[in-house]
Amino acid sequence: MPKPDSKPQTARSDDRGSKRPVREGFANPRQHGVRDSGHPARESFATRGQGGERDRNRSAREGFAAAPGGASRRSDERPARGGFVPAAGNRASAQGGATRERGSRAQSAATARPARERVFRADSAESLEVGHLIVVTIKRIGINGEGVGYFRKKAVFVPGALTGEIVKARVAKIEPNYIQATLAEIETPSPDRVQPFCALYDQCGGCQMQHMSYEAQLRAKQEHVREAFARYAGLEQPPIRPILGMDNPLGYRNKASLQVGLADKDRLVTGLYSPNSHKLVDISGCPIQDPAINAVMEGVKRALKEVRVPVYHEKTRQGLLRTVVARVSRLTGKVQLTLVTSSRELPGKLVLIRHLRRELPQVVGISQNVNPGRTPLVFGEETIHLWGQEQLEEKLGSVKFSLSPRSFFQLNPIQTVKLYDAVKEAAALTGSERVVDAYCGSGTIGLWLAPQAKEIRGIELVPEAVEDACRNALASGADNATFHVGRAEKLLPAWVRDGFRPDVLVVDPPRTGCDDALLAAALEVKPERFVYVSCNPSTLAKDCAKLIAGGYRLEWIQPVDMFPHTSHVECCVLLVRK
């Protein structure tokens, strides 16, 4: 669903700052090590709201952080900690294998650590102070990828620790209900611990789970869903299906929104802000990105260096270029490029376009988006077409899409097909049903269902997205699909009064979940089947609890791993009216 792109501001709770003296939650392999193990202790990243596009809340769904700064809080567990979805390495490492060479280097580093420090022991957590070293047994993985254990019955969050590990952790912050700590030493490592495959894993703040085997990541995400429904819906044994993972969890992101800045005063950088800091980390060669995206970002930097476009500075609000957004089509291999600027003026525009075209023949369209405000959103309201094609052509299955720069489109096309097939199964269409696709964006889900439905009606707040959806329907020959600008909670009751009552309601909201007014409208309209697609298990479970109380039965939950190596998990849920 297209909504204005957002960029997370974290310390990843996150959806798309504060300075910190030391990188909280990190165990540097050159300083700390795993006892009697070849794997260095490394920190996991929490979710810094990764690079959202869908709207101010949807950013976290995409796994990217695009803004410097401060930590925000999540209502369901604790402050989130920074993250996105990048990295560099080989497939074997990504699948969980640590190389012997790296392991031996880490072992050498571990043996070089200083003399043992005294561990703090007490009968109560109340006597703990910042800086104390404590021993913690990790019981589970938290929602941001951190290890969760207990010290004298008080929860301790330790980024980088894994379930089953016994670790020494240094107290970094003490809150009334929990303790934040950094990983100092792993006394008993987990068999699921692997060497992170990205050299920037402890810097860029993107992935939260690279130190965990992919199989263990999938187990942890499935458990996150179970815990959310137990906690917020009161279902101790929710009907969860096995999570759908990827065969090769690398190179899956088809879009990047990267901040532009200067390093060493004059070196141009496109990247992400390190968690809890204003340090911009260049993520050139990120293996989570489609290689075409990496190539375009390098070409953009070369062109910008030649033309010397002033770079925007977040603190002083001086300069022009804020963000570079690149999206690649898996259908054609071509790329759509958008430059986000702080003002409408773009000095040297024609020269810049000429340099970009020379450096990047794979780019088929260049646009400028104007975002003058201090905002967590990547995109502003105005988009100016500079050159080439205004839309990027894409295809999922048999459905064709034309995507404008601000249109939301799922970032992992391979997993999107699995997710949408689950939606199709849940809708159980026979050709006679009327379907409403709320939060429809550019019409992706509605058009996926159109061949099996009698009628599709999509609802979306962003006019550009609705225009894209109409074009997409025309391109795919879906003459039974129409798309409307507005709010579902207002349009749904109006349609019912006019004689249109949907048999199936599909929602795919931002991370904040469905608006209460929409849920109230749905309970009034009473569609037979309610299909809920979610990027946040906590808000999903809360909304499902309201629907269950309103007369629906939860049939099944299908988790899908849309963003490997991050803590994010997508779900498709089927609820049927009792």
Side-chain angles (χ1 to χ4, degrees):
M1 303 182 257
K3 304 208 172 158
D5 239 335
S6 61
K7 54 182 176 183
Q9 269 194 342
T10 99
R12 194 175 181 146
S13 152
D14 308 328
D15 266 345
R16 305 248 217 171
S18 52
K19 289 187 178 179
R20 55 192 171 79
V22 181
R23 185 147 177 76
E24 266 187 36
F26 269 94
N28 187 327
R30 297 186 183 277
Q31 297 173 335
H32 309 282
V34 178
R35 177 179 289 183
D36 299 326
S37 168
H39 298 302
R42 298 290 294 270
E43 177 194 78
S44 67
F45 285 87
T47 86
R48 186 175 27 184
Q50 1 192 278
E53 295 124 334
R54 179 158 175 150
D55 73 355
R56 62 183 64 80
N57 296 304
R58 178 139 191 165
S59 63
R61 157 179 213 144
E62 304 190 338
F64 262 136
S72 55
R73 288 186 181 273
R74 279 171 102 161
S75 60
D76 47 347
E77 204 162 289
R78 70 152 194 134
R81 294 202 65 242
F84 108 108
V85 182
N90 57 58
R91 183 179 306 180
S93 296
Q95 300 289 356
T99 65
R100 292 185 180 180
E101 180 182 358
R102 286 181 174 176
S104 62
R105 289 203 303 266
Q107 183 68 40
S108 299
T111 60
R113 62 179 178 268
R116 294 191 180 281
E117 184 178 348
R118 183 177 179 182
V119 172
F120 179 79
R121 303 184 188 282
D123 295 331
S124 170
E126 301 306 315
S127 55
L128 269 182
E129 297 178 4
V130 171
H132 279 161
L133 193 67
I134 58 177
V135 175
V136 182
T137 299
I138 304 302
K139 300 296 185 182
R140 60 186 175 87
I141 298 298
I143 60 171
N144 300 307
E146 71 278 79
V148 182
Y150 295 87
F151 183 83
R152 301 297 181 259
K153 298 183 179 180
K154 192 169 186 177
V156 183
F157 296 93
V158 187
L162 299 181
T163 301
E165 291 186 332
I166 299 174
V167 304
K168 288 180 181 176
R170 188 173 306 283
V171 176
K173 188 176 183 180
I174 301 173
E175 298 287 354
N177 298 321
Y178 63 87
I179 298 165
Q180 285 182 271
T182 58
L183 185 59
E185 183 180 334
I186 302 173
E187 294 198 332
T188 304
S190 166
D192 293 323
R193 179 169 290 279
V194 299
Q195 177 73 21
F197 57 88
C198 173
L200 298 176
Y201 180 53
D202 60 351
Q203 298 176 46
C204 84
C207 302
Q208 300 86 52
M209 292 182 164
Q210 280 191 24
H211 62 298
M212 188 186 309
S213 71
Y214 187 54
E215 293 75 15
Q217 293 179 32
L218 296 179
R219 293 196 303 269
K221 293 181 182 188
Q222 179 123 353
E223 182 62 14
H224 289 169
V225 178
R226 189 201 65 76
E227 289 175 357
F229 276 84
R231 182 172 184 178
Y232 299 114
L235 301 175
E236 291 301 326
Q237 296 296 327
I240 304 177
R241 295 176 170 183
I243 188 171
L244 301 177
M246 294 192 73
D247 293 332
N248 176 24
L250 292 175
Y252 59 82
R253 286 188 66 104
N254 62 8
K255 181 179 180 181
S257 303
L258 302 185
Q259 293 292 99
V260 181
L262 295 175
D264 306 323
K265 295 185 177 180
D266 60 355
R267 182 170 62 87
L268 194 70
V269 172
T270 55
L272 302 172
Y273 285 97
S274 187
N276 302 327
S277 80
H278 289 269
K279 177 186 177 184
L280 191 62
V281 179
D282 194 332
I283 62 166
S284 300
C286 166
I288 300 303
Q289 298 283 14
D290 188 301
I293 297 292
N294 292 329
V296 166
M297 288 298 176
E298 289 302 303
V300 168
K301 286 191 289 187
R302 290 192 298 269
L304 292 174
K305 185 177 180 180
E306 290 291 331
V307 182
R308 303 185 71 82
V309 176
V311 173
Y312 182 77
H313 193 280
E314 201 77 35
K315 283 186 177 180
T316 65
R317 303 191 72 183
Q318 300 297 312
L320 182 64
L321 184 60
R322 303 178 66 146
T323 309
V324 176
V325 183
R327 171 155 51 194
V328 62
S329 167
R330 296 290 172 86
L331 173 66
T332 65
K334 301 301 183 180
V335 176
Q336 179 184 71
L337 182 64
T338 306
L339 306 177
V340 182
T341 60
S342 60
S343 70
R344 212 173 188 278
E345 298 302 317
L346 184 56
K349 175 170 56 181
L350 296 179
V351 177
L352 176 60
I353 292 171
R354 186 165 62 249
H355 276 77
L356 289 171
R357 292 180 62 188
R358 182 190 66 196
E359 291 282 351
L360 301 167
Q362 66 272 47
V363 170
V364 293
I366 303 173
S367 296
Q368 175 192 1
N369 178 268
V370 183
N371 185 357
R374 284 190 172 179
T375 169
L377 301 179
V378 170
F379 284 137
E381 293 300 319
E382 183 182 14
T383 301
I384 304 166
H385 179 63
L386 299 180
W387 170 83
Q389 301 174 12
E390 293 192 46
Q391 282 82 36
L392 184 70
E393 300 305 311
E394 185 58 285
K395 189 176 184 181
L396 277 179
S398 61
V399 183
K400 297 178 181 178
F401 299 95
S402 294
L403 305 173
S404 59
R406 293 178 64 205
S407 292
F408 172 79
F409 190 76
Q410 291 283 2
L411 298 182
N412 187 336
I414 293 174
Q415 293 300 90
T416 298
V417 171
K418 298 177 184 179
L419 178 67
Y420 287 1
D421 279 345
V423 173
K424 183 183 293 186
E425 178 190 351
L429 302 175
T430 63
S432 61
E433 293 85 4
R434 293 171 168 177
V435 180
V436 168
D437 179 11
Y439 306 96
C440 74
S442 54
T444 52
I445 292 179
L447 294 175
W448 196 259
L449 300 178
Q452 288 79 39
K454 178 180 180 180
E455 183 179 356
I456 300 285
R457 292 191 184 186
I459 304 172
E460 171 59 50
L461 274 174
V462 180
E464 289 178 37
V466 173
E467 292 173 6
D468 284 347
C470 293
R471 279 193 296 267
N472 295 336
L474 184 63
S476 297
D479 54 7
N480 62 338
T482 58
F483 298 92
H484 309 263
V485 178
R487 293 185 176 275
E489 57 267 27
K490 293 183 178 180
L491 290 179
L492 264 178
W495 289 344
V496 171
R497 288 193 296 270
D498 292 339
F500 175 89
R501 184 178 295 275
D503 304 291
V504 180
L505 176 60
V506 181
V507 299
D508 186 5
R511 287 188 63 79
T512 48
C514 288
D515 189 286
D516 284 339
L518 172 59
L519 294 178
L523 292 175
E524 179 184 341
V525 172
K526 295 182 175 63
E528 288 295 326
R529 304 173 84 82
F530 193 116
V531 184
Y532 196 136
V533 178
S534 172
C535 57
N536 185 338
S538 297
T539 54
L540 169 64
K542 292 173 185 177
D543 286 348
C544 283
K546 297 173 185 176
L547 292 168
I548 292 170
Y552 280 85
R553 180 179 65 254
L554 178 61
E555 291 290 319
W556 48 258
I557 306 162
Q558 177 62 72
V560 180
D561 187 23
M562 295 290 286
F563 305 106
H565 311 299
T566 79
S567 58
H568 299 291
V569 59
E570 199 98 359
C571 291
C572 175
V573 168
L574 170 62
L575 299 109
V576 177
R577 197 175 73 185
K578 294 178 183 177

